[in-house]
C-alpha cells in the first residue's frame, strides 16, 4: 500500500494517549495495518505503533524472522495487537539496548519486564492472549509504551548507556537506525 512518514521525538503527537479502536474488520483498519507493515519493513523496524505515523489509535504491530537493527535477536511472531493490556508475569526486569524509529540514530539501555502476558485483539476482533519473554517481551513493552505517549529515553536510568548507534555499536550499519 504505502510507506508513511514516521514522526520523530519532539513531535507532540507522540506524547498523546491513544484512543481505543472501536470498529474491527473494516476496510480502513485493514488499509492502515497494511501501511504500517509497509512502513515498518521499509525502515527495518521490529515494531511500529499507530501514533508513530500520526494515527491516534491503540494499535501496534511487531514481528520479524530476522532484523538488521537487532541482528542477535531471536524471531518474534508477526502480530497485530489492538487495545492491548500487559501483565508482568514476574517482577524480574532486564536491561537491554533499544532503538526507535521515532528516535533515529540513537540507542539506550532500558529496563523492561523479562516475562509478560499481552492481551488484546487482532484486526478482525478476535482475542489475542500470549505470554512472551526476553526480546519478544521487550518489543511488546516498547510498542505499547507508544500508546501511552512514552518514548524509551524517558525509561533510561543510566545515561552513560545512551548515545548514537554508530558510536556505541560501530559494527552495525548506521543507516539501519534512521
Amino acid at each position: 500500500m504505502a510507506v508513511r512518514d514516521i514522526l520523530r521525538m519532539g513531535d507532540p503527537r507522540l506524547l498523546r494517549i491513544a484512543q481505543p479502536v472501536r470498529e474491527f474488520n473494516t476496510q480502513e483498519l485493514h488499509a492502515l495495518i497494511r501501511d504500517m507493515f509497509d512502513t515498518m519493513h521499509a525502515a527495518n523496524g521490529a515494531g511500529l505503533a499507530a501514533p508513530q505515523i500520526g494515527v491516534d489509535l491503540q494499535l501496534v504491530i511487531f514481528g520479524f524472522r530476522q532484523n538488521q537493527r537487532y541482528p542477535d535477536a531471536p524471531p518474534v511472531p508477526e502480530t497485530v495487537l489492538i487495545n492491548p493490556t500487559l501483565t508482568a508475569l514476574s517482577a524480574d526486569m532486564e536491561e537491554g539496548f533499544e532503538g526507535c524509529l521515532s528516535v533515529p540514530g540513537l540507542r539506550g539501555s532500558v529496563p523492561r519486564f523479562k516475562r509478560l502476558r499481552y492481551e488484546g485483539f487482532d484486526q478482525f476482533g478476535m482475542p489475542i492472549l500470549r505470554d512472551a519473554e526476553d526480546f519478544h517481551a521487550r518489543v511488546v513493552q516498547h510498542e505499547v509504551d507508544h500508546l501511552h505517549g512514552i518514548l524509551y529515553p524517558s525509561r533510561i536510568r543510566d545515561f552513560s548507556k545512551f548515545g548514537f548507534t554508530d558510536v556505541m555499536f560501530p559494527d552495525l550499519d548506521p543507516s539501519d537506525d534512521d
Side-chain angles (χ1 to χ4, degrees), residues 24 64 67 74 78 85 105 107 140 152 163:
F24 297 89
F64 56 87
N67 187 284
E78 200 166 84
T85 59
R107 296 233 176 156
V140 175
Y152 83 87

Side-chain angles (χ1 to χ4, degrees), residues 14 39 43-44 51 56 60 79 83 100 122 131 143 149 159 161 177-178:
L14 290 169
T39 303
N44 294 319
D56 193 26
V60 299
T79 303
N83 301 341
C100 181
D122 69 11
D131 292 352
E143 296 310 328
F159 278 88
K161 297 177 183 175
D177 259 6
D178 292 336

Side-chain angles (χ1 to χ4, degrees), residues 39-110:
T39 303
M40 180 183 81
H41 293 143
N44 294 319
L48 186 70
Q52 290 181 272
I53 58 169
V55 177
D56 193 26
L57 289 174
Q58 291 182 21
L59 163 61
V60 299
I61 63 165
F62 53 87
F64 56 87
R65 278 186 259 252
Q66 186 171 6
N67 187 284
Q68 294 170 347
R69 296 178 79 225
Y70 300 97
D72 297 328
V76 172
E78 200 166 84
T79 303
V80 173
L81 183 60
I82 298 173
N83 301 341
T85 59
L86 306 181
T87 305
L89 295 177
S90 79
D92 294 338
M93 298 193 79
E94 184 173 64
E95 288 271 335
F97 278 93
E98 296 182 15
C100 181
L101 300 175
S102 292
V103 188
L106 295 167
R107 296 233 176 156
S109 185
V110 179

Side-chain angles (χ1 to χ4, degrees), residues 21-34 123-124:
V21 171
R22 304 239 185 259
E23 293 184 45
F24 297 89
N25 199 22
T26 66
Q27 297 267 344
E28 296 80 16
L29 184 61
H30 293 301
L32 172 61
I33 291 166
R34 282 192 302 273
Q123 64 267 42
F124 304 102

